[in-house]
Amino acid sequence: MSHMPLLEATSLPADAIEVGRIADAWGIKGWFKVHAFSSAPEALFSAKSWYLQPAEKGAKQFTGTVVLPVKQARFHSDTIVATSPEVADRNAAEALRGARVFVAREHFPKTEDGEFYWVDLMGLTVVNREGVELGVVNDLMATGPQTVLVLGFEQDGKEQERLIPFVDAYVDSVDLAGKKIVADWQPDY
């Protein structure tokens, strides 16, 4: 029988971003495994509290949004494990299984020049050097050494997809404030 820890109900901050989910209990002292959506999950490590929402599927141990104070989060071999002062034992950790983990954007580490979080690129319009609109960033794909922008656009009344490598050779500029990416790319590539 899993016992949900007493966590404070709250509302999800406007800048909260889903960064992973709680996979399972780890050990007997209340630690739990976290499945991160990013291969560089610094936001999980730097935030002192996470916002949890129930799993989309399966049993719900809670409703709405709760705040989980985080005592420690770290890598353990190829897994991320974390602990909270509110999660006393394995049963409490198991009760969190499947919970969606959100972190406020303000807790993300600052990016270097030319570095962007994927979430910041979503929804940006991509145009080429001639100003021709190529599509809107719907997704990003990691393909080994590089990232690929997955653009959605409409052609002949059908939703289409266009892939553009997110590398300096093709991407001239990213204007987050203007919600625009300029690329050296042609619609017929």
Side-chain angles (χ1 to χ4, degrees):
M1 177 72 195
S2 53
H3 301 288
M4 182 67 193
L6 245 55
L7 299 175
E8 180 187 340
T10 188
S11 53
L12 200 61
D15 69 342
I17 295 163
E18 189 169 2
V19 293
R21 63 181 169 74
I22 295 180
D24 207 349
W26 184 71
I28 58 170
K29 295 186 177 168
W31 285 74
F32 43 90
K33 290 183 192 173
V34 181
H35 169 74
F37 295 154
S38 166
S39 60
E42 283 82 5
L44 280 170
F45 301 140
S46 61
K48 295 296 173 223
S49 55
W50 298 346
Y51 298 90
L52 302 183
Q53 289 188 340
E56 289 165 323
K57 297 184 179 109
K60 307 240 187 296
Q61 297 284 343
F62 64 101
T63 57
T65 303
V66 295
V67 66
L68 177 72
V70 178
K71 184 172 162 188
Q72 189 183 0
R74 60 180 169 82
F75 277 111
H76 177 76
S77 56
D78 60 351
T79 301
I80 295 169
V81 294
T83 184
S84 166
E86 303 299 322
V87 182
D89 57 26
R90 185 175 182 89
N91 288 339
E94 283 175 349
L96 297 175
R97 185 183 300 140
R100 300 166 64 200
V101 179
F102 295 80
V103 171
R105 180 68 172 84
E106 67 177 311
H107 294 301
F108 279 54
K110 298 277 181 262
T111 55
E112 300 289 321
D113 277 351
E115 284 185 344
F116 303 93
Y117 284 110
W118 283 18
V119 68
D120 294 337
L121 301 175
M122 301 290 282
L124 297 189
T125 300
V126 180
V127 298
N128 68 10
R129 290 174 173 174
E130 295 73 39
V132 176
E133 190 171 313
L134 300 171
V136 173
V137 179
N138 286 340
D139 201 1
L140 290 102
M141 236 176 8
T143 59
Q146 67 188 22
T147 298
V148 175
L149 299 171
V150 181
L151 310 184
F153 66 99
E154 204 170 284
Q155 188 172 16
D156 304 325
K158 290 193 179 106
E159 187 64 26
Q160 305 283 328
E161 230 176 45
R162 177 175 284 131
L163 305 177
I164 299 178
F166 189 65
V167 293
D168 290 344
Y170 299 114
V171 175
D172 292 341
S173 65
V174 176
D175 177 3
L176 293 178
K179 297 196 173 301
K180 188 166 82 173
I181 296 173
V182 177
D184 182 14
W185 201 262
Q186 294 303 317
D188 55 353
Y189 283 6

